Amino acid sequence: MKGGKENKSKNLSGLFFLFILLAGLAVAVYWPVLNNTLISDDHFYYYELRSLPVSELGSLFTLQSNFSVRPFTWLTYWIQFRLFDFNPWPAHLINVFLHAGVASLMFWLLRMLGARGLTATAAAVLFLVTPVAPEAATWLSGRHDLMALFFTLLTVGLYFFALKKKSWGYFGTAMAAAMAALLSKEQAYMLVLMLPAMELLYADRSSYAIDSRKANIAKMLINNSRAQFSDWKFLTRMFVFSVIVFASVVLHYAILGRMGGYGDLPLLALPGANALSTLKTTLSPLNSAEVSWGLIRYLGFYSATLFLIGGSLVILRWRRAAADSKKMLVFMIIFLIGSLLPGYAVLSQTGVSNNLRESRLLYSPTLAVLALLAISMLEFGWHKRSWRIFAILALSVLLPVYIAGLHANNRPWQRAAAMNYSIPKQTVELIPDPPQNARMTFIHVPAWKDSYVFVIGFRQALYSAYGRDDIIVTRVRRLASGDYFDEPLPESDTDGYLIDYDQEQGLLRLVKDN
Protein backbone atom coordinates (compact mmCIF):
# COMPACT_ATOMS: atom_id res chain seq x y z
CA MET A 1 0.00 0.00 0.00
CA LYS A 2 2.79 2.33 0.93
CA GLY A 3 4.58 1.57 -2.34
CA GLY A 4 1.43 2.41 -4.31
CA LYS A 5 1.15 5.79 -2.61
CA GLU A 6 4.83 6.47 -3.28
CA ASN A 7 4.42 5.61 -6.98
CA LYS A 8 1.34 7.83 -7.22
CA SER A 9 3.20 10.68 -5.57
CA LYS A 10 6.18 10.12 -7.86
CA ASN A 11 3.94 10.18 -10.95
CA LEU A 12 2.26 13.41 -9.86
CA SER A 13 5.63 15.00 -9.09
CA GLY A 14 6.92 13.95 -12.51
CA LEU A 15 3.85 15.39 -14.24
CA PHE A 16 4.18 18.66 -12.32
CA PHE A 17 7.88 18.88 -13.20
CA LEU A 18 7.02 18.26 -16.86
CA PHE A 19 4.39 21.00 -16.73
CA ILE A 20 6.99 23.43 -15.30
CA LEU A 21 9.36 22.62 -18.17
CA LEU A 22 6.66 22.95 -20.83
CA ALA A 23 5.28 26.13 -19.23
CA GLY A 24 8.79 27.62 -19.29
CA LEU A 25 9.15 26.73 -22.97
CA ALA A 26 5.69 28.14 -23.71
CA VAL A 27 6.49 31.44 -21.98
CA ALA A 28 9.76 31.64 -23.95
CA VAL A 29 8.14 31.16 -27.37
CA TYR A 30 5.13 33.37 -26.55
CA TRP A 31 7.16 36.10 -24.82
CA PRO A 32 6.73 38.75 -27.57
CA VAL A 33 2.92 38.72 -27.24
CA LEU A 34 2.56 38.65 -23.46
CA ASN A 35 2.10 42.42 -23.41
CA ASN A 36 -0.58 42.45 -26.13
CA THR A 37 -3.58 44.51 -25.08
CA LEU A 38 -7.21 43.49 -25.58
CA ILE A 39 -8.25 42.61 -29.13
CA SER A 40 -11.71 42.59 -30.67
CA ASP A 41 -14.06 40.41 -28.58
CA ASP A 42 -11.78 40.86 -25.57
CA HIS A 43 -13.18 44.40 -25.21
CA PHE A 44 -16.69 42.99 -25.08
CA TYR A 45 -15.70 40.58 -22.31
CA TYR A 46 -13.93 43.32 -20.36
CA TYR A 47 -16.83 45.74 -20.62
CA GLU A 48 -19.46 43.17 -19.69
CA LEU A 49 -17.57 41.44 -16.85
CA ARG A 50 -15.30 43.95 -15.13
CA SER A 51 -18.05 45.38 -12.89
CA LEU A 52 -20.40 42.39 -12.73
CA PRO A 53 -21.34 41.86 -9.05
CA VAL A 54 -21.17 38.45 -7.41
CA SER A 55 -24.94 38.45 -7.05
CA GLU A 56 -25.32 38.46 -10.84
CA LEU A 57 -22.89 35.67 -11.74
CA GLY A 58 -25.84 33.64 -12.97
CA SER A 59 -25.81 35.91 -16.05
CA LEU A 60 -22.60 34.14 -17.13
CA PHE A 61 -24.88 31.40 -18.51
CA THR A 62 -26.57 33.81 -20.89
CA LEU A 63 -23.64 36.05 -21.86
CA GLN A 64 -23.43 36.25 -25.65
CA SER A 65 -26.43 33.93 -25.61
CA ASN A 66 -27.05 34.00 -29.37
CA PHE A 67 -23.85 32.03 -29.90
CA SER A 68 -22.80 29.98 -26.90
CA VAL A 69 -23.28 28.79 -23.34
CA ARG A 70 -19.81 28.90 -21.78
CA PRO A 71 -20.17 30.04 -18.16
CA PHE A 72 -17.04 28.32 -16.88
CA THR A 73 -14.77 30.25 -19.26
CA TRP A 74 -16.66 33.48 -18.56
CA LEU A 75 -16.02 32.88 -14.86
CA THR A 76 -12.24 32.82 -15.44
CA TYR A 77 -12.48 36.14 -17.31
CA TRP A 78 -14.57 37.61 -14.49
CA ILE A 79 -11.97 36.57 -11.88
CA GLN A 80 -9.15 37.84 -14.10
CA PHE A 81 -10.70 41.29 -14.60
CA ARG A 82 -11.58 41.59 -10.92
CA LEU A 83 -8.00 40.80 -9.89
CA PHE A 84 -5.95 42.45 -12.64
CA ASP A 85 -8.36 44.84 -14.40
CA PHE A 86 -6.93 45.82 -17.84
CA ASN A 87 -3.42 44.41 -17.22
CA PRO A 88 -2.65 42.07 -20.16
CA TRP A 89 0.27 40.17 -18.62
CA PRO A 90 -1.67 37.97 -16.16
CA ALA A 91 -4.33 37.30 -18.77
CA HIS A 92 -1.82 36.11 -21.36
CA LEU A 93 0.05 34.03 -18.80
CA ILE A 94 -3.20 32.23 -17.96
CA ASN A 95 -3.64 31.35 -21.63
CA VAL A 96 -0.02 30.29 -22.08
CA PHE A 97 -0.11 28.12 -18.95
CA LEU A 98 -3.35 26.51 -20.14
CA HIS A 99 -1.68 25.76 -23.48
CA ALA A 100 1.26 24.18 -21.62
CA GLY A 101 -1.23 22.29 -19.44
CA VAL A 102 -2.87 20.79 -22.54
CA ALA A 103 0.54 19.62 -23.81
CA SER A 104 1.33 18.13 -20.37
CA LEU A 105 -1.99 16.28 -20.23
CA MET A 106 -1.36 14.90 -23.70
CA PHE A 107 1.99 13.54 -22.51
CA TRP A 108 0.29 12.08 -19.40
CA LEU A 109 -2.48 10.45 -21.43
CA LEU A 110 -0.16 8.92 -24.02
CA ARG A 111 2.04 7.49 -21.29
CA MET A 112 -0.99 5.95 -19.58
CA LEU A 113 -2.10 4.43 -22.86
CA GLY A 114 1.28 2.71 -23.19
CA ALA A 115 3.39 5.11 -25.26
CA ARG A 116 7.13 5.34 -24.70
CA GLY A 117 8.42 8.47 -23.04
CA LEU A 118 10.07 9.49 -26.31
CA THR A 119 6.76 9.27 -28.19
CA ALA A 120 4.81 11.24 -25.59
CA THR A 121 7.52 13.90 -25.35
CA ALA A 122 7.68 14.36 -29.13
CA ALA A 123 3.90 14.82 -29.36
CA ALA A 124 3.77 17.25 -26.41
CA VAL A 125 6.67 19.45 -27.53
CA LEU A 126 5.55 19.65 -31.17
CA PHE A 127 2.07 20.63 -30.05
CA LEU A 128 3.41 23.24 -27.65
CA VAL A 129 5.14 25.15 -30.47
CA THR A 130 2.68 24.44 -33.27
CA PRO A 131 2.06 27.54 -35.42
CA VAL A 132 -1.67 26.79 -35.47
CA ALA A 133 -2.07 27.73 -31.79
CA PRO A 134 -1.91 31.59 -31.74
CA GLU A 135 -5.62 32.18 -32.28
CA ALA A 136 -6.33 30.00 -29.24
CA ALA A 137 -3.30 30.84 -27.08
CA THR A 138 -2.37 34.42 -28.06
CA TRP A 139 -5.87 35.85 -28.38
CA LEU A 140 -7.43 36.12 -24.92
CA SER A 141 -10.82 35.20 -26.38
CA GLY A 142 -9.31 31.90 -27.53
CA ARG A 143 -9.35 30.67 -23.94
CA HIS A 144 -12.61 28.87 -24.67
CA ASP A 145 -10.71 26.40 -26.87
CA LEU A 146 -7.86 26.03 -24.39
CA MET A 147 -10.16 25.25 -21.48
CA ALA A 148 -12.40 22.90 -23.45
CA LEU A 149 -9.44 20.79 -24.59
CA PHE A 150 -7.71 20.95 -21.19
CA PHE A 151 -10.74 19.57 -19.36
CA THR A 152 -11.52 17.12 -22.15
CA LEU A 153 -8.07 15.54 -21.79
CA LEU A 154 -8.38 15.61 -18.00
CA THR A 155 -11.74 13.83 -18.30
CA VAL A 156 -10.28 11.10 -20.53
CA GLY A 157 -7.26 10.58 -18.27
CA LEU A 158 -9.37 10.32 -15.10
CA TYR A 159 -11.81 8.02 -16.89
CA PHE A 160 -8.92 5.74 -17.82
CA PHE A 161 -7.92 5.59 -14.15
CA ALA A 162 -11.53 4.83 -13.22
CA LEU A 163 -11.51 1.83 -15.58
CA LYS A 164 -8.12 0.48 -14.60
CA LYS A 165 -8.48 0.98 -10.84
CA LYS A 166 -12.22 0.19 -10.83
CA SER A 167 -12.66 3.39 -8.83
CA TRP A 168 -15.94 5.30 -8.57
CA GLY A 169 -13.99 8.16 -7.04
CA TYR A 170 -11.97 8.64 -10.23
CA PHE A 171 -15.17 8.28 -12.24
CA GLY A 172 -16.89 11.03 -10.25
CA THR A 173 -13.89 13.31 -10.72
CA ALA A 174 -13.90 12.54 -14.45
CA MET A 175 -17.58 13.53 -14.67
CA ALA A 176 -16.84 16.80 -12.85
CA ALA A 177 -14.08 17.49 -15.42
CA ALA A 178 -16.52 16.61 -18.22
CA MET A 179 -19.01 19.18 -16.94
CA ALA A 180 -16.23 21.79 -16.80
CA ALA A 181 -15.29 20.95 -20.41
CA LEU A 182 -18.89 21.12 -21.68
CA LEU A 183 -19.39 24.48 -19.95
CA SER A 184 -16.17 25.85 -21.47
CA LYS A 185 -16.90 25.37 -25.17
CA GLU A 186 -18.96 23.15 -27.45
CA GLN A 187 -15.83 21.41 -28.77
CA ALA A 188 -16.00 19.27 -25.62
CA TYR A 189 -18.86 17.30 -27.15
CA MET A 190 -16.10 15.20 -28.69
CA LEU A 191 -16.28 13.30 -25.38
CA VAL A 192 -19.42 11.63 -26.74
CA LEU A 193 -17.11 9.58 -28.98
CA MET A 194 -14.04 9.42 -26.76
CA LEU A 195 -15.49 7.92 -23.57
CA PRO A 196 -17.31 5.03 -25.30
CA ALA A 197 -14.06 4.43 -27.24
CA MET A 198 -12.21 4.32 -23.93
CA GLU A 199 -14.72 1.73 -22.69
CA LEU A 200 -14.34 -0.42 -25.80
CA LEU A 201 -10.56 -0.31 -25.86
CA TYR A 202 -9.51 -0.20 -22.22
CA ALA A 203 -12.24 -1.57 -19.95
CA ASP A 204 -11.21 -4.95 -18.48
CA ARG A 205 -14.17 -7.04 -19.56
CA SER A 206 -13.16 -8.85 -22.73
CA SER A 207 -13.26 -12.62 -22.79
CA TYR A 208 -10.73 -12.50 -25.60
CA ALA A 209 -7.13 -12.87 -24.44
CA ILE A 210 -4.97 -10.19 -26.01
CA ASP A 211 -1.54 -11.30 -27.09
CA SER A 212 0.98 -8.48 -27.05
CA ARG A 213 2.15 -9.37 -30.55
CA LYS A 214 -0.89 -10.79 -32.34
CA ALA A 215 -3.75 -8.85 -30.82
CA ASN A 216 -6.80 -8.78 -33.06
CA ILE A 217 -8.14 -5.32 -32.23
CA ALA A 218 -11.28 -5.79 -34.33
CA LYS A 219 -12.19 -9.00 -32.52
CA MET A 220 -11.46 -7.39 -29.17
CA LEU A 221 -13.78 -4.50 -29.99
CA ILE A 222 -16.57 -6.86 -31.05
CA ASN A 223 -16.23 -8.97 -27.91
CA ASN A 224 -16.08 -5.92 -25.68
CA SER A 225 -19.14 -4.34 -27.30
CA ARG A 226 -21.10 -7.57 -26.72
CA ALA A 227 -19.93 -7.83 -23.13
CA GLN A 228 -20.78 -4.21 -22.32
CA PHE A 229 -24.52 -4.67 -22.18
CA SER A 230 -24.26 -7.29 -19.47
CA ASP A 231 -21.91 -5.13 -17.40
CA TRP A 232 -23.91 -3.04 -14.92
CA LYS A 233 -20.89 -0.89 -14.13
CA PHE A 234 -20.51 0.10 -17.77
CA LEU A 235 -24.23 0.82 -18.03
CA THR A 236 -24.08 2.95 -14.88
CA ARG A 237 -21.08 4.95 -16.15
CA MET A 238 -22.65 5.56 -19.54
CA PHE A 239 -26.00 6.47 -17.96
CA VAL A 240 -24.39 9.11 -15.72
CA PHE A 241 -22.35 10.52 -18.61
CA SER A 242 -25.41 10.53 -20.88
CA VAL A 243 -27.38 12.48 -18.27
CA ILE A 244 -24.61 15.10 -18.12
CA VAL A 245 -24.48 15.44 -21.91
CA PHE A 246 -28.29 15.54 -22.16
CA ALA A 247 -28.45 18.22 -19.47
CA SER A 248 -25.85 20.26 -21.37
CA VAL A 249 -27.84 19.99 -24.62
CA VAL A 250 -31.08 20.95 -22.84
CA LEU A 251 -29.29 23.93 -21.27
CA HIS A 252 -28.12 25.09 -24.70
CA TYR A 253 -31.61 24.71 -26.15
CA ALA A 254 -33.20 26.52 -23.22
CA ILE A 255 -30.81 29.49 -23.44
CA LEU A 256 -30.09 29.73 -27.15
CA GLY A 257 -33.42 28.54 -28.52
CA ARG A 258 -33.02 25.73 -31.08
CA MET A 259 -29.25 25.95 -30.56
CA GLY A 260 -29.11 29.60 -31.62
CA GLY A 261 -26.75 30.31 -34.50
CA TYR A 262 -25.59 26.69 -34.53
CA GLY A 263 -29.00 25.70 -35.86
CA ASP A 264 -28.10 27.29 -39.19
CA LEU A 265 -24.99 25.16 -39.68
CA PRO A 266 -25.23 22.05 -41.89
CA LEU A 267 -24.72 18.86 -39.94
CA LEU A 268 -25.09 16.17 -42.60
CA ALA A 269 -23.91 17.95 -45.76
CA LEU A 270 -21.05 16.38 -47.67
CA PRO A 271 -17.62 18.01 -47.28
CA GLY A 272 -17.07 20.83 -49.73
CA ALA A 273 -14.02 21.63 -51.81
CA ASN A 274 -12.72 23.86 -49.03
CA ALA A 275 -11.98 20.76 -46.95
CA LEU A 276 -8.81 20.49 -49.04
CA SER A 277 -7.83 24.00 -47.91
CA THR A 278 -8.16 22.91 -44.29
CA LEU A 279 -6.04 19.82 -44.95
CA LYS A 280 -3.27 21.90 -46.55
CA THR A 281 -3.30 24.33 -43.64
CA THR A 282 -3.16 21.45 -41.15
CA LEU A 283 0.00 20.18 -42.83
CA SER A 284 1.52 23.66 -43.10
CA PRO A 285 -0.06 26.07 -40.56
CA LEU A 286 1.89 29.16 -41.63
CA ASN A 287 0.30 32.56 -42.29
CA SER A 288 0.69 33.36 -46.00
CA ALA A 289 0.75 37.09 -45.19
CA GLU A 290 3.84 36.60 -43.02
CA VAL A 291 5.92 33.90 -44.73
CA SER A 292 6.64 32.95 -48.31
CA TRP A 293 4.53 30.43 -50.18
CA GLY A 294 7.76 28.55 -50.82
CA LEU A 295 8.17 27.86 -47.10
CA ILE A 296 4.49 26.92 -46.82
CA ARG A 297 4.85 24.41 -49.65
CA TYR A 298 8.09 23.04 -48.21
CA LEU A 299 6.55 22.46 -44.79
CA GLY A 300 3.40 20.95 -46.29
CA PHE A 301 5.43 18.57 -48.47
CA TYR A 302 7.71 17.59 -45.60
CA SER A 303 4.80 17.02 -43.20
CA ALA A 304 2.93 14.97 -45.80
CA THR A 305 6.08 12.87 -46.32
CA LEU A 306 6.31 12.15 -42.59
CA PHE A 307 2.65 11.12 -42.48
CA LEU A 308 3.16 8.91 -45.53
CA ILE A 309 6.10 7.20 -43.79
CA GLY A 310 4.09 6.85 -40.58
CA GLY A 311 1.06 5.45 -42.40
CA SER A 312 3.23 2.95 -44.27
CA LEU A 313 4.79 1.81 -41.01
CA VAL A 314 1.36 1.25 -39.46
CA ILE A 315 0.26 -0.88 -42.43
CA LEU A 316 3.50 -2.85 -42.81
CA ARG A 317 4.18 -3.44 -39.13
CA TRP A 318 0.64 -3.76 -37.75
CA ARG A 319 0.96 -7.48 -37.02
CA ARG A 320 4.28 -6.97 -35.21
CA ALA A 321 3.17 -4.00 -33.12
CA ALA A 322 2.25 -4.36 -29.45
CA ALA A 323 -1.41 -4.35 -28.44
CA ASP A 324 -0.98 -1.08 -26.53
CA SER A 325 0.32 0.63 -29.66
CA LYS A 326 -2.60 -0.61 -31.75
CA LYS A 327 -5.21 0.45 -29.22
CA MET A 328 -3.52 3.81 -28.75
CA LEU A 329 -3.54 4.45 -32.50
CA VAL A 330 -7.22 3.52 -32.81
CA PHE A 331 -8.10 5.73 -29.85
CA MET A 332 -6.25 8.74 -31.27
CA ILE A 333 -7.99 8.29 -34.63
CA ILE A 334 -11.31 8.43 -32.78
CA PHE A 335 -9.96 11.48 -30.91
CA LEU A 336 -9.24 13.13 -34.28
CA ILE A 337 -12.68 12.34 -35.69
CA GLY A 338 -14.36 13.60 -32.52
CA SER A 339 -12.34 16.83 -32.57
CA LEU A 340 -13.41 17.56 -36.16
CA LEU A 341 -17.15 17.12 -35.65
CA PRO A 342 -17.92 20.28 -33.61
CA GLY A 343 -16.27 22.48 -36.25
CA TYR A 344 -17.42 20.38 -39.21
CA ALA A 345 -19.23 23.13 -41.13
CA VAL A 346 -16.32 25.58 -41.02
CA LEU A 347 -13.52 23.05 -41.48
CA SER A 348 -15.04 21.14 -44.39
CA GLN A 349 -17.24 23.67 -46.18
CA THR A 350 -15.92 27.15 -45.43
CA GLY A 351 -12.35 25.91 -44.95
CA VAL A 352 -9.43 27.21 -42.93
CA SER A 353 -6.85 28.57 -45.37
CA ASN A 354 -3.34 29.90 -44.81
CA ASN A 355 -4.60 33.25 -43.58
CA LEU A 356 -5.49 31.18 -40.47
CA ARG A 357 -8.78 32.92 -39.80
CA GLU A 358 -10.88 30.62 -37.53
CA SER A 359 -7.77 28.47 -37.03
CA ARG A 360 -8.72 27.99 -33.38
CA LEU A 361 -11.03 25.27 -34.72
CA LEU A 362 -7.87 23.36 -35.64
CA TYR A 363 -6.51 23.53 -32.08
CA SER A 364 -7.90 20.15 -30.92
CA PRO A 365 -7.43 18.34 -34.28
CA THR A 366 -3.79 19.49 -34.38
CA LEU A 367 -3.13 17.78 -31.06
CA ALA A 368 -4.57 14.53 -32.38
CA VAL A 369 -2.68 14.82 -35.69
CA LEU A 370 0.70 15.37 -34.01
CA ALA A 371 0.07 12.55 -31.53
CA LEU A 372 -0.76 10.21 -34.43
CA LEU A 373 2.44 11.27 -36.22
CA ALA A 374 4.58 10.53 -33.15
CA ILE A 375 2.82 7.20 -32.51
CA SER A 376 3.16 5.97 -36.09
CA MET A 377 6.83 6.97 -36.35
CA LEU A 378 8.03 5.76 -32.95
CA GLU A 379 5.58 3.08 -31.78
CA PHE A 380 5.21 1.28 -35.10
CA GLY A 381 8.76 1.82 -36.31
CA TRP A 382 11.58 -0.64 -35.83
CA HIS A 383 12.92 -1.07 -32.31
CA LYS A 384 16.47 -0.57 -33.48
CA ARG A 385 18.34 2.39 -32.08
CA SER A 386 19.25 3.59 -35.56
CA TRP A 387 15.57 3.90 -36.54
CA ARG A 388 14.66 5.78 -33.37
CA ILE A 389 17.49 8.24 -33.98
CA PHE A 390 16.30 8.74 -37.55
CA ALA A 391 12.67 9.19 -36.46
CA ILE A 392 13.56 11.72 -33.75
CA LEU A 393 15.77 13.68 -36.14
CA ALA A 394 13.00 13.66 -38.77
CA LEU A 395 10.48 15.01 -36.24
CA SER A 396 13.01 17.48 -34.84
CA VAL A 397 13.30 19.17 -38.23
CA LEU A 398 9.78 20.48 -37.60
CA LEU A 399 10.81 22.27 -34.41
CA PRO A 400 12.74 25.27 -35.80
CA VAL A 401 10.21 25.71 -38.61
CA TYR A 402 7.33 25.52 -36.12
CA ILE A 403 8.93 28.03 -33.75
CA ALA A 404 9.72 30.45 -36.58
CA GLY A 405 6.18 29.97 -37.92
CA LEU A 406 4.72 30.56 -34.46
CA HIS A 407 6.53 33.90 -34.21
CA ALA A 408 5.41 34.82 -37.74
CA ASN A 409 1.80 33.87 -36.99
CA ASN A 410 1.89 35.97 -33.82
CA ARG A 411 2.97 39.15 -35.63
CA PRO A 412 -0.55 39.96 -36.92
CA TRP A 413 -1.84 39.65 -33.37
CA GLN A 414 0.79 42.10 -32.18
CA ARG A 415 -0.29 44.57 -34.87
CA ALA A 416 -3.95 43.97 -34.05
CA ALA A 417 -3.26 44.63 -30.36
CA ALA A 418 -1.46 47.87 -31.23
CA MET A 419 -4.44 49.03 -33.32
CA ASN A 420 -6.92 48.08 -30.60
CA TYR A 421 -4.92 50.17 -28.16
CA SER A 422 -4.16 53.18 -30.37
CA ILE A 423 -7.53 53.84 -32.00
CA PRO A 424 -9.53 54.38 -28.75
CA LYS A 425 -6.58 56.36 -27.31
CA GLN A 426 -6.37 58.63 -30.37
CA THR A 427 -10.15 59.07 -30.36
CA VAL A 428 -10.08 60.41 -26.81
CA GLU A 429 -7.23 62.77 -27.77
CA LEU A 430 -9.18 64.06 -30.81
CA ILE A 431 -12.50 64.37 -28.97
CA PRO A 432 -11.72 64.71 -25.24
CA ASP A 433 -15.24 65.45 -24.02
CA PRO A 434 -18.02 64.55 -26.48
CA PRO A 435 -21.55 65.63 -25.55
CA GLN A 436 -24.16 63.23 -24.23
CA ASN A 437 -25.32 60.65 -26.81
CA ALA A 438 -22.74 61.88 -29.33
CA ARG A 439 -22.53 59.93 -32.58
CA MET A 440 -19.08 58.84 -33.75
CA THR A 441 -18.76 57.35 -37.21
CA PHE A 442 -15.45 55.72 -38.16
CA ILE A 443 -14.44 54.94 -41.74
CA HIS A 444 -11.58 52.77 -43.02
CA VAL A 445 -11.20 50.91 -39.72
CA PRO A 446 -10.50 47.35 -40.93
CA ALA A 447 -12.64 44.49 -39.71
CA TRP A 448 -10.34 41.58 -40.61
CA LYS A 449 -6.95 43.03 -41.48
CA ASP A 450 -4.39 40.31 -40.65
CA SER A 451 -6.34 38.96 -37.70
CA TYR A 452 -9.22 39.94 -35.46
CA VAL A 453 -9.06 43.73 -35.12
CA PHE A 454 -12.46 45.28 -34.39
CA VAL A 455 -15.59 43.20 -34.64
CA ILE A 456 -17.86 42.96 -31.62
CA GLY A 457 -15.45 44.79 -29.36
CA PHE A 458 -15.07 48.10 -31.23
CA ARG A 459 -18.01 49.81 -29.51
CA GLN A 460 -17.02 48.47 -26.08
CA ALA A 461 -13.42 49.64 -26.61
CA LEU A 462 -14.69 53.22 -26.98
CA TYR A 463 -17.01 52.83 -23.98
CA SER A 464 -14.06 51.73 -21.83
CA ALA A 465 -11.82 54.53 -23.13
CA TYR A 466 -14.38 57.20 -22.21
CA GLY A 467 -15.72 55.47 -19.12
CA ARG A 468 -19.30 55.87 -20.37
CA ASP A 469 -21.68 53.99 -22.63
CA ASP A 470 -24.01 56.67 -24.04
CA ILE A 471 -21.87 57.25 -27.15
CA ILE A 472 -23.35 55.99 -30.42
CA VAL A 473 -20.53 54.27 -32.30
CA THR A 474 -20.74 53.29 -35.97
CA ARG A 475 -17.99 51.64 -38.02
CA VAL A 476 -18.21 51.69 -41.80
CA ARG A 477 -15.66 50.51 -44.32
CA ARG A 478 -15.06 51.80 -47.84
CA LEU A 479 -14.89 49.25 -50.65
CA ALA A 480 -12.54 49.60 -53.64
CA SER A 481 -15.52 50.87 -55.64
CA GLY A 482 -15.98 53.75 -53.21
CA ASP A 483 -19.13 52.30 -51.72
CA TYR A 484 -19.54 51.54 -48.02
CA PHE A 485 -20.73 48.46 -46.22
CA ASP A 486 -21.57 47.31 -42.65
CA GLU A 487 -23.60 50.46 -41.96
CA PRO A 488 -24.61 53.40 -44.20
CA LEU A 489 -22.49 56.53 -44.02
CA PRO A 490 -24.46 59.32 -42.30
CA GLU A 491 -25.64 62.27 -44.37
CA SER A 492 -23.42 65.36 -44.25
CA ASP A 493 -26.00 67.29 -42.25
CA THR A 494 -26.36 64.56 -39.62
CA ASP A 495 -25.11 65.53 -36.20
CA GLY A 496 -22.03 63.70 -35.06
CA TYR A 497 -18.34 63.18 -35.62
CA LEU A 498 -16.86 61.62 -38.75
CA ILE A 499 -13.45 60.08 -38.10
CA ASP A 500 -11.16 58.67 -40.79
CA TYR A 501 -8.46 56.06 -40.06
CA ASP A 502 -5.32 56.09 -42.18
CA GLN A 503 -4.28 52.42 -42.31
CA GLU A 504 -0.83 53.23 -43.71
CA GLN A 505 0.18 55.64 -40.93
CA GLY A 506 -2.09 54.24 -38.21
CA LEU A 507 -3.49 57.70 -37.44
CA LEU A 508 -7.01 59.08 -36.97
CA ARG A 509 -8.23 62.28 -38.65
CA LEU A 510 -11.32 64.18 -37.61
CA VAL A 511 -13.18 64.77 -40.90
CA LYS A 512 -16.33 66.38 -39.48
CA ASP A 513 -16.81 67.89 -36.05
CA ASN A 514 -20.02 67.72 -34.10
Side-chain angles (χ1 to χ4, degrees):
M1 190 71 177
K2 183 178 179 181
K5 290 182 178 179
E6 288 178 352
N7 287 336
K8 183 178 179 181
S9 176
K10 184 178 180 181
N11 290 336
L12 290 175
S13 298
L15 183 62
F16 179 73
F17 180 68
L18 173 72
F19 168 74
I20 295 298
L21 291 177
L22 292 178
L25 177 58
V27 169
V29 295
Y30 280 92
W31 185 267
V33 300
L34 292 183
N35 204 40
N36 278 7
T37 54
L38 305 187
I39 299 173
S40 185
D41 295 15
D42 302 345
H43 289 285
F44 172 80
Y45 302 163
Y46 177 74
Y47 180 77
E48 293 291 327
L49 296 173
R50 62 174 179 166
S51 58
L52 185 70
V54 176
S55 59
E56 296 181 19
L57 285 181
S59 64
L60 297 180
F61 281 88
T62 56
L63 188 67
Q64 239 186 348
S65 59
N66 288 333
F67 303 97
S68 57
V69 180
R70 303 169 185 173
F72 198 47
T73 313
W74 300 131
L75 180 61
T76 68
Y77 288 123
W78 180 80
I79 294 172
Q80 166 195 311
F81 293 139
R82 297 280 287 213
L83 292 177
F84 308 112
D85 196 51
F86 204 80
N87 188 354
W89 261 79
H92 283 293
L93 283 176
I94 292 170
N95 275 28
V96 169
F97 286 158
L98 276 170
H99 181 51
V102 170
S104 301
L105 287 175
M106 191 69 245
F107 175 92
W108 175 60
L109 180 61
L110 288 177
R111 288 291 286 156
M112 284 193 299
L113 299 185
R116 296 180 178 90
L118 203 58
T119 305
T121 301
V125 172
L126 284 174
F127 176 72
L128 191 75
V129 299
T130 176
V132 84
E135 194 172 89
T138 300
W139 190 28
L140 297 184
S141 297
R143 188 177 302 169
H144 301 284
D145 297 87
L146 298 172
M147 289 185 61
L149 186 53
F150 179 90
F151 284 105
T152 294
L153 290 174
L154 186 61
T155 299
V156 174
L158 291 170
Y159 202 90
F160 180 85
F161 270 133
L163 294 180
K164 291 304 176 183
K165 297 182 180 296
K166 298 180 172 58
S167 168
W168 290 106
Y170 275 118
F171 173 74
T173 311
M175 292 301 98
M179 286 189 284
L182 291 168
L183 294 177
S184 295
K185 192 175 181 181
E186 294 70 26
Q187 263 68 13
Y189 281 108
M190 60 195 289
L191 286 169
V192 172
L193 286 183
M194 294 175 67
L195 294 192
M198 182 66 70
E199 289 278 355
L200 280 170
L201 289 165
Y202 294 102
D204 185 17
R205 71 169 63 86
S206 177
S207 59
Y208 179 74
I210 303 175
D211 183 273
S212 62
R213 287 288 183 186
K214 301 178 180 179
N216 188 323
I217 299 298
K219 187 172 182 179
M220 183 201 74
L221 292 175
I222 293 172
N223 286 357
N224 271 2
S225 61
R226 290 173 178 172
Q228 281 178 334
F229 296 101
S230 61
D231 183 350
W232 70 269
K233 292 182 180 179
F234 159 76
L235 295 175
T236 301
R237 289 192 294 265
M238 285 294 99
F239 174 77
V240 173
F241 176 60
S242 299
V243 168
I244 291 172
V245 172
F246 179 74
S248 175
V249 172
V250 169
L251 182 67
H252 278 72
Y253 266 78
I255 294 176
L256 301 179
R258 297 189 62 210
M259 298 304 287
Y262 297 107
D264 299 327
L265 299 176
L267 297 177
L268 300 176
L270 293 175
N274 285 321
L276 183 60
S277 173
T278 297
L279 176 61
K280 291 177 180 177
T281 305
T282 303
L283 293 174
S284 184
L286 301 178
N287 191 329
S288 57
E290 302 299 321
V291 301
S292 68
W293 275 106
L295 180 58
I296 289 173
R297 293 188 186 96
Y298 155 73
L299 181 56
F301 175 78
Y302 186 76
S303 300
T305 301
L306 290 183
F307 278 105
L308 181 62
I309 293 172
S312 300
L313 287 171
V314 169
I315 294 171
L316 295 174
R317 295 184 54 78
W318 179 265
R319 294 178 63 86
R320 294 174 176 270
D324 282 346
S325 300
K326 297 177 183 178
K327 291 193 291 183
M328 182 167 39
L329 183 80
V330 171
F331 181 77
M332 292 310 302
I333 290 174
I334 295 171
F335 184 123
L336 176 60
I337 295 171
S339 68
L340 292 171
L341 292 180
Y344 165 79
V346 174
L347 295 175
S348 67
Q349 296 194 311
T350 305
V352 176
S353 64
N354 286 95
N355 63 15
L356 300 183
R357 179 174 167 180
E358 309 290 356
S359 60
R360 63 190 183 280
L361 295 175
L362 288 175
Y363 186 68
S364 297
T366 295
L367 180 62
V369 164
L370 292 174
L372 284 169
L373 179 60
I375 290 168
S376 62
M377 292 285 287
L378 292 166
E379 298 294 323
F380 283 83
W382 289 269
H383 293 171
K384 296 179 180 180
R385 183 181 178 186
S386 57
W387 170 259
R388 292 185 185 176
I389 292 174
F390 166 77
I392 287 297
L393 288 176
L395 293 174
S396 296
V397 170
L398 293 174
L399 278 176
V401 183
Y402 269 23
I403 293 173
L406 176 63
H407 283 286
N409 291 353
N410 266 325
R411 282 197 290 267
W413 293 97
Q414 292 173 275
R415 292 196 293 271
M419 290 180 65
N420 276 252
Y421 173 77
S422 67
I423 292 180
K425 184 173 181 290
Q426 289 184 60
T427 303
V428 174
E429 292 171 353
L430 280 175
I431 313 169
D433 188 23
Q436 194 77 9
N437 298 317
R439 176 184 292 277
M440 294 184 183
T441 301
F442 293 80
I443 58 175
H444 301 146
V445 174
W448 297 96
K449 183 181 171 120
D450 296 326
S451 297
Y452 291 77
V453 180
F454 289 114
V455 188
I456 295 174
F458 183 50
R459 188 170 286 106
Q460 285 75 18
L462 269 295
Y463 291 166
S464 297
Y466 280 105
R468 46 190 275 202
D469 60 3
D470 62 284
I471 301 170
I472 302 169
V473 181
T474 304
R475 180 186 61 78
V476 295
R477 185 179 176 189
R478 191 194 297 270
L479 298 175
S481 62
D483 297 327
Y484 293 87
F485 73 100
D486 288 346
E487 298 187 43
L489 190 66
E491 298 293 334
S492 59
D493 59 349
T494 302
D495 290 339
Y497 301 94
L498 181 60
I499 305 161
D500 182 31
Y501 178 67
D502 186 330
Q503 295 188 29
E504 294 296 326
Q505 298 183 18
L507 297 175
L508 291 179
R509 180 173 63 91
L510 187 59
V511 177
K512 184 173 78 72
D513 204 333
N514 191 50

